[in-house]
Amino acid sequence: MLLCLQNVCPAETVDQLRQLAGESDYADGRKTAGWAAREVKRNEQVEAGPRIDTIRNLVRKALMAHPLFVSFAQPKSITRMLVSRYTQGMEYGLHVDDALMGGRRADLSFTLFLSEPDSYEGGELVMESVDGETEIKLAPGEVVVYPTAALHRVAPVTSGERIAVVGWVRSLVRRPDQREILFDLDRACRALFERDGKTAELDLLLKSKANLLRQWAED
């Protein structure tokens, strides 16, 4: 299951992130890839330093303030975050993200798009599944969250420049089917509250959601 989120970063934050990314130094993205992914990775990534630290803080704050992201991911921590740049001829072939990031389990991956979609050709995030391929190319400030275990790729950029922030989440709830149940319950509870306010039936659903999270969450 993947989730596309709108309005994660307001326009002023997107502008700030773009400026920081534009002022940063970049290095070969293969430096951070595993031994197999390194063979198909052709991009650049922002070097370590104060700018990438500021970017990470801004993005982490925006994500943790977004109720749908928190409900969907049940985040324990954001384990890693990178800024990637693709220019003409660059791509990231089919791969799966590492299961461990800095010694911590990664359950979910996310991509925060910063470039205007009509400013570059190609560069779609392509998710592979038994049902075929799903191409994703979002507006600046929008995020797609997807399972870290999923095979995916970034299509070749044929013109322009694609800049995005990518990161990984360790969830409080390890199993994706359990996270989906909690997410569905949370959305249903919010819809009922907006329609009817706080009711006895809503309290029962909230109790069940809380008890399931208590049962499934890992410290």
Side-chain angles (χ1 to χ4, degrees), residues 56-67:
R56 287 169 177 157
N57 288 335
L58 288 168
V59 173
R60 184 178 291 107
K61 181 179 178 180
L63 288 170
M64 296 306 291
H66 198 287

Side-chain angles (χ1 to χ4, degrees), residues 65-146:
H66 198 287
L68 280 181
F69 173 80
V70 174
S71 175
F72 182 78
Q74 297 291 335
K76 179 179 177 66
S77 63
I78 295 176
T79 59
R80 192 181 185 191
M81 215 182 298
L82 303 169
V83 179
S84 63
R85 180 172 69 183
Y86 294 78
T87 55
Q88 186 173 353
M90 293 185 177
E91 64 178 310
Y92 197 164
L94 194 64
H95 65 284
V96 64
D97 292 340
D98 290 339
L100 300 176
M101 301 281 180
R104 291 175 289 180
R105 191 185 73 246
D107 299 304
L108 293 164
S109 305
F110 66 84
T111 299
L112 166 65
F113 290 77
L114 293 180
S115 300
E116 293 287 350
D118 59 359
S119 69
Y120 62 99
E121 297 291 334
E124 296 85 0
L125 175 64
V126 183
M127 308 300 301
E128 299 272 350
S129 73
V130 294
D131 298 323
E133 294 185 343
T134 301
E135 295 185 353
I136 303 163
K137 190 173 186 178
L138 302 181
E142 296 183 347
V143 171
V144 58
V145 189
Y146 50 95

Side-chain angles (χ1 to χ4, degrees), residues 123-218:
E124 296 85 0
L125 175 64
V126 183
M127 308 300 301
E128 299 272 350
S129 73
V130 294
D131 298 323
E133 294 185 343
T134 301
E135 295 185 353
I136 303 163
K137 190 173 186 178
L138 302 181
E142 296 183 347
V143 171
V144 58
V145 189
Y146 50 95
T148 300
L151 283 167
H152 59 285
R153 60 188 176 89
V154 176
V157 172
T158 57
S159 67
E161 180 181 82
R162 176 195 192 267
I163 297 180
V165 180
V166 296
W168 294 268
V169 179
R170 180 180 178 183
S171 179
L172 288 164
V173 179
R174 181 193 295 253
R175 286 176 44 178
D177 58 332
Q178 293 173 343
R179 289 198 302 271
E180 185 172 354
I181 290 170
L182 291 168
F183 183 55
D184 289 345
L185 279 172
D186 186 64
R187 287 190 297 165
C189 288
R190 291 175 184 272
L192 288 172
F193 180 75
E194 289 177 4
R195 190 187 70 186
D196 301 326
K198 192 172 185 299
T199 64
E201 292 79 9
L202 176 61
D203 285 342
L204 285 175
L205 285 174
L206 289 170
K207 174 188 173 185
S208 296
K209 182 170 74 78
N211 285 335
L212 286 173
L213 180 58
R214 187 174 293 110
Q215 179 178 337
W216 293 338
E218 301 179 1

